[in-house]
Amino acid sequence: MSDSLFPVGEEQQLPVLTLRNVVLFPAAVTPVNVGRLRSIRAVEFAQDTPQRLVVVACQKEYDLDRPGLDDLYPVATLARVLRVIRLSTGSYSVVVQGVCRLRLLGIVSADPFMVARVQRLPSERAHVADDDVELAALVAQVRARMREFTDHLPAAYAEQSEQALAKIVEPGALADVVSAYLPSNAAQKSVILGCAEVRQRLRLVLKLLQREIEVERVKIEVTSLVQEGMSETQRHSILRQQMRDIRRQLGEDVESESVIDALRDRLSASQPPDEIMRAAKRHLGRLHMIPEASPEYQLSKTYLEWLADLPWRAQTEDTMDVSRAARVLDEDHHGLERVKRRIIEQIAVRSLKPDARGPILCFVGPPGVGKTSLAKSIARATGRRFARVALGGVHDEGEIRGHRRTYVGAYPGRILSSLKTSKSRNPVIVLDEIDKLVESRAGSPAAALLEVLDPAQNDTFVDHYIEQPFDLSQVLFIATANQLGTIPAPLLDRLEVIELPGYTLPEKVEIAKTYLLPRVLSEHGLTPEQVDIDDASLTFLVEGYTREAGVRRLAQQLAALARDVAVQIAERPNYVRVYDKQSIRKSLGPDRGEHSLEKTPLCGVAVGLSVHGVGGDPVPVEASLMPGKGRVHLTGHVGDVMKESVAAAFSYIRAHASAFGLPPDFLATIDIHVHFSEGATPKDGPSLGLAVFVALLSLLTRDRVRHDVAFIGEVTLRGRVLEVQGLRERLLAAYTAGIRHVVMPSRNVHDLEELPSAVRAELTLTYVSRLTDVCPMAFVSAPAAA
């Protein structure tokens, strides 16, 4: 635009484009985004005029949407609109070129766009004269400082600015172009724009240049100091972010990068050992090279997630307070004093020696006696987290040690899975039903547990999936089992067995009243005031509906009573149920009644006491004669050991037939059938041998057996009576069945300490060591002793 079209000092009215933090200098070409309605209309108006002129002014405050004259810097720039691009958001991207300086004199109109009255300012754009040493020196210094400044800029940007400055010969234009390149704020640039005198303008530009150079120098020094103190992890994080930005600019997918970065951060947070971290970094490096859709990518990603989620360092703080532990155990469990004492001893040792590696406790007892809940109480008492590993029916070694990653569907074993779930490296882990592990072609899970439960080895336990050692020495393992007979000897050798016998009738009543009933009422939304059941009714409930060693069935029957009350209260909100024998029968149906034992002495019938996985039971042994050729038949689902026990008792009678008044050929014309009641229940073991001997001798001598006596003991061919296991459960079964006289081996006397004093006081116990000692108290009229 020539001076003739807009002479210096002349006034005109032109549309105004107001910008935020942007100062346009003459001769500079700048793209700007235009989004405000008044600015859009001003651009559209200028675009439709022949000269395409618009006044570009910078507002003083950024947040103003409709600035007035006082809100704008007084000196603006006349600009030509070179290009207008309409964006999808409705705004414009406008490229403008500065022409000359203007002074804002007033606002002519504010809508639909701002129109201002402006006056062109004089400008000095002459070449440097040969004799103007001062101006030449200023120009040289500005060029030198600009080159020094661009040394800190990216190479492409520095080259572009160098080329632009090389073409400029006028001092005023040089000052304007350099000002446009500087990252100074709008207020500083507006001062330069408003300075018409060239020398003064160059001095201002030179001052800003020196300041920006000093700023860049300090930034470099600070960056250097920060990098020296920056950890390797932080540097890697910055480099990864830069790599992500580069890939994003190249149009590549960066989603996998964010996943890998998240995995790396999780691994760092879990703080695995150095060798495991090195292995993880190798897998992270592989993920960069594997396509995300590849199955190998998912396998590696899952493996790294497991490494990140395992509690390599995380653990809870132990609370080894003996008094607190005793209080928690008493709150959660009734009785079991011997078991509680052993647990308190273990906690006391840990309180004195935190790194002590004590034995692995194994709670053995019938279902429902509180084995798993005891482990939960230990976790609560010690402040540790609780995890349970169900081993019932496990037949694959990989369930313990994990599966190798080469197999499809591989995953870690249950030990590491429980650690991941508990998020702690020192939880209480219950190995539930350890006696029900099954060996198969897939390996022996019991053998795999040997390393897990050995304190001397489990600090370097290696799961096949993880393939890295994990320290299990801080884990408090507790095993549970119903019986010891099915636990392999090497595994049993690593366990300290603590037996949890069944409860007596008074104990069950107390447990129901103190623990079970309040919990059942709470679970069913009832209050103690809505259900009234006294001790006599609870006793009837236990005797008539729950013949078990534990209290699980008792809890189920109490829940059934609570559901019956809930139905009534749903219909009648103020309903209160008082339970007695009749109302219990109405809710639960007929009770089981008394044990089906004989009430009178009979020949060939004796009562033995057996023990199995759910407690003890009286077992009537019946023997019958029939014509035959001396064969012996056994029925009642008996095992091999019990068959041998019957054979031993029968052989003793045959060997001493004359002493019992039997002819030598008494078997010539008869067969004998021995039956054990409840034929659907498997029976095995030698403990019924004494009862079999009594039943057979009674059958052959026709002497009746006392119906109120039960017999316990293993018999030998020499007539000895040997001790048996599970005496407490057997005697409790006799007590529950109403039997008050028990003949038992003399070698089992030491086991009576475990029997509750109330039960022991009710029983008459006769100790025998030989079969000849049994006859006087077994028969109504004793046969001759052998």
Side-chain angles (χ1 to χ4, degrees):
M1 179 179 179
S2 64
D3 292 346
S4 60
L5 296 177
F6 199 160
V8 175
E10 183 178 315
E11 297 182 9
Q12 289 194 21
Q13 295 181 4
L14 293 172
V16 179
L17 174 62
T18 58
L19 302 179
R20 294 184 172 103
N21 288 343
V22 176
V23 176
L24 179 65
F25 285 89
V29 178
T30 303
V32 293
N33 289 327
V34 178
R36 288 180 286 186
L37 184 59
R38 291 201 307 175
S39 298
I40 290 174
R41 289 172 177 170
V43 169
E44 290 174 344
F45 176 82
Q47 188 180 15
D48 293 337
T49 61
Q51 301 296 330
R52 301 166 65 92
L53 297 178
V54 66
V55 176
V56 177
C58 179
Q59 62 188 61
K60 299 176 182 178
E61 296 184 13
Y62 182 88
D63 296 332
L64 292 176
D65 285 334
R66 292 176 60 87
L69 181 64
D70 296 336
D71 301 318
L72 303 176
Y73 288 106
V75 176
T77 303
L78 179 66
R80 179 178 288 110
V81 178
L82 301 181
R83 183 183 303 172
V84 177
I85 301 174
R86 186 176 182 85
L87 304 178
S88 59
T89 59
S91 61
Y92 287 160
S93 177
V94 182
V95 179
V96 292
Q97 180 182 22
V99 177
C100 62
R101 287 173 168 77
L102 300 175
R103 182 175 300 279
L104 297 174
L105 300 178
I107 302 299
V108 177
S109 63
D111 292 303
F113 53 86
M114 181 184 291
V115 177
R117 186 164 53 85
V118 295
Q119 180 185 41
R120 179 173 178 175
L121 295 176
S123 60
E124 299 180 22
R125 306 186 64 169
H127 295 280
V128 180
D130 294 338
D131 58 347
D132 197 340
V133 178
E134 181 185 5
L135 185 59
L138 287 172
V139 170
Q141 286 190 15
V142 169
R143 290 185 183 275
R145 291 290 182 268
M146 187 61 184
R147 281 192 296 270
E148 186 177 349
F149 174 73
T150 55
D151 287 342
H152 303 298
L153 302 179
Y157 190 73
E159 183 179 357
Q160 178 185 358
S161 62
E162 184 70 23
Q163 292 175 355
L165 293 177
K167 299 177 182 179
I168 299 175
V169 294
E170 297 180 356
L174 176 65
D176 291 342
V177 172
V178 170
S179 300
Y181 275 106
L182 292 179
S184 304
N185 57 45
Q188 293 172 327
K189 290 186 176 183
S190 296
V191 173
I192 296 175
L193 181 65
C195 183
E197 204 275 321
V198 175
R199 286 178 174 78
Q200 182 63 24
R201 196 187 313 165
L202 286 171
R203 291 189 184 95
L204 292 174
V205 171
L206 187 59
K207 183 178 179 181
L208 285 181
L209 266 173
Q210 290 174 338
R211 181 182 181 279
E212 294 299 332
I213 291 171
E214 183 65 19
V215 169
E216 290 297 326
R217 185 187 64 78
V218 173
K219 285 171 59 178
I220 292 174
E221 291 179 357
V222 171
T223 302
S224 177
L225 291 174
V226 171
Q227 287 180 345
E228 290 177 1
M230 186 183 300
S231 66
E232 182 181 358
T233 302
Q234 291 173 314
R235 287 198 293 271
H236 288 179
S237 176
I238 293 173
L239 291 174
R240 286 195 297 272
Q241 181 62 42
Q242 293 175 350
M243 186 180 297
R244 258 198 315 271
D245 294 340
I246 292 172
R247 295 188 64 178
R248 186 179 290 108
Q249 292 177 10
L250 292 175
E252 298 180 3
D253 182 20
V254 296
E255 289 298 324
S256 60
E257 289 293 327
S258 61
V259 171
I260 295 173
D261 289 345
L263 280 173
R264 184 180 287 104
D265 293 340
R266 287 167 58 186
L267 280 165
S268 299
S270 64
Q271 298 180 346
D274 293 341
E275 63 273 14
I276 296 172
M277 193 64 187
R278 286 193 293 268
K281 287 181 178 179
R282 288 196 300 269
H283 282 272
L284 285 169
R286 290 183 57 200
L287 282 185
H288 287 285
M289 311 301 296
I290 303 174
E292 191 171 353
S294 171
E296 184 69 20
Y297 179 89
Q298 293 301 324
L299 290 176
S300 297
K301 177 174 173 288
T302 303
Y303 173 68
L304 289 169
E305 287 175 343
W306 270 98
L307 289 182
D309 291 340
L310 286 176
W312 301 100
R313 307 285 183 186
Q315 66 180 55
T316 56
E317 184 177 353
D318 286 344
T319 306
M320 297 300 174
D321 187 341
V322 173
S323 58
R324 179 177 185 273
R327 184 176 67 255
V328 170
L329 292 174
D330 289 337
E331 289 175 357
D332 296 346
H333 297 86
H334 175 77
L336 304 177
E337 299 303 328
R338 178 171 170 270
V339 179
K340 292 179 182 177
R341 178 64 183 174
R342 179 61 187 87
I343 295 172
I344 294 299
E345 291 172 356
Q346 185 88 339
I347 294 176
V349 172
R350 285 293 184 102
S351 66
L352 299 176
K353 187 174 176 57
D355 58 344
R357 296 185 178 184
I360 307 299
L361 302 181
C362 179
F363 297 148
V364 179
V369 295
K371 300 184 294 297
T372 304
S373 61
L374 262 176
K376 291 182 179 179
S377 297
I378 293 173
R380 187 162 74 91
T382 57
R384 295 192 176 196
R385 291 172 183 164
F386 176 81
R388 175 177 172 269
V389 178
L391 297 179
V394 172
H395 58 83
D396 186 358
E397 177 188 352
E399 294 286 337
I400 306 299
R401 283 189 172 276
H403 299 82
R404 298 194 182 277
R405 297 196 305 277
T406 53
Y407 296 108
V408 176
Y411 51 87
R414 299 193 182 194
I415 302 299
L416 289 192
S417 297
S418 61
L419 286 169
K420 174 187 173 183
T421 303
S422 64
K423 299 180 180 179
S424 171
R425 64 192 294 258
N426 65 335
V428 174
I429 296 183
V430 172
L431 304 175
D432 216 2
E433 310 292 352
I434 199 172
D435 58 325
K436 296 178 178 59
L437 292 170
V438 181
E439 291 192 14
S440 67
R441 290 179 297 178
S444 172
L449 279 175
L450 295 179
E451 181 184 2
V452 175
L453 299 181
D454 192 339
Q457 302 179 33
N458 62 10
D459 57 341
T460 56
F461 173 73
V462 177
D463 187 278
H464 288 161
Y465 183 86
I466 301 298
E467 293 183 337
Q468 298 292 340
F470 193 96
D471 185 4
L472 299 179
S473 61
Q474 301 300 316
V475 179
L476 180 57
F477 287 105
I478 296 177
T480 70
N482 295 135
Q483 51 191 349
L484 297 176
T486 57
I487 302 177
L491 183 57
L492 186 61
D493 184 58
R494 286 165 169 77
L495 305 175
E496 179 182 338
V497 176
I498 300 178
E499 295 187 0
L500 276 72
Y503 296 106
T504 63
L505 176 61
E507 287 176 333
K508 290 182 180 180
V509 172
E510 183 64 26
I511 291 171
K513 181 171 61 176
T514 307
Y515 299 94
L516 299 181
L517 186 59
R519 187 186 70 192
V520 167
L521 294 178
S522 175
E523 290 174 351
H524 291 78
L526 301 175
T527 62
E529 292 75 19
Q530 294 171 317
V531 179
D532 185 3
I533 180 168
D534 56 16
D535 290 358
S537 300
L538 286 174
T539 302
F540 172 71
L541 178 65
V542 172
E543 289 182 325
Y545 295 89
T546 62
R547 289 179 183 170
E548 57 175 346
V551 293
R552 187 168 295 160
R553 178 68 176 167
L554 177 57
Q556 294 172 356
Q557 298 295 353
L558 288 172
L561 297 179
R563 290 193 297 271
D564 186 32
V565 175
V567 171
Q568 300 296 331
I569 292 179
E571 299 174 355
R572 293 175 289 172
N574 297 325
Y575 179 81
V576 176
R577 169 63 67 89
V578 178
Y579 274 112
D580 54 16
K581 290 184 179 181
Q582 183 177 357
S583 58
I584 290 176
R585 286 195 183 101
K586 184 178 179 181
S587 297
L588 302 181
D591 59 282
R592 295 178 59 181
E594 298 180 354
H595 282 275
S596 57
L597 299 176
E598 297 296 338
K599 302 300 182 182
T600 58
L602 295 175
C603 290
V605 179
V607 178
L609 297 172
S610 69
V611 66
H612 43 78
V614 295
D617 270 325
V619 179
V621 180
E622 301 175 353
S624 178
L625 283 175
M626 65 197 74
K629 299 180 180 180
R631 292 176 296 183
V632 178
H633 303 278
L634 294 179
T635 56
H637 206 163
V638 295
D640 292 338
V641 177
M642 186 169 286
K643 291 177 182 178
E644 295 171 357
S645 182
V646 173
F650 193 59
S651 295
Y652 181 82
I653 293 174
R654 290 182 63 184
H656 301 83
S658 59
F660 293 119
L662 300 174
D665 58 346
F666 70 92
L667 281 177
T669 59
I670 63 172
D671 284 347
I672 296 179
H673 185 177
V674 180
H675 177 71
F676 299 87
S677 64
E678 297 186 10
T681 304
K683 306 171 190 68
D684 202 5
S687 61
L688 292 180
L690 186 58
V692 171
F693 166 77
V694 172
L696 288 174
L697 188 58
S698 168
L699 176 68
L700 296 171
T701 62
R702 309 310 298 171
D703 288 311
R704 294 175 299 165
V705 182
R706 292 177 56 180
H707 68 284
D708 58 346
V709 179
F711 303 90
I712 308 172
E714 177 184 354
V715 300
T716 70
L717 292 177
R718 293 184 294 161
R720 299 176 62 194
V721 181
L722 304 182
E723 64 181 326
V724 296
Q725 301 294 325
L727 182 69
R728 186 183 193 276
E729 287 78 9
R730 301 176 197 273
L731 294 180
L732 286 176
Y735 176 81
T736 303
I739 299 174
R740 295 296 181 262
H741 190 179
V742 178
V743 178
M744 55 174 283
S746 57
R747 293 187 178 184
N748 279 113
V749 173
H750 60 276
D751 294 328
L752 294 177
E753 296 179 0
E754 302 178 3
L755 193 66
S757 57
V759 175
R760 188 174 180 180
E762 294 288 332
L763 295 178
T764 300
L765 303 177
T766 302
Y767 312 111
V768 295
S769 58
R770 300 191 60 83
L771 292 177
T772 54
D773 301 332
V774 179
C775 299
M777 69 281 303
F779 302 104
V780 174
S781 57

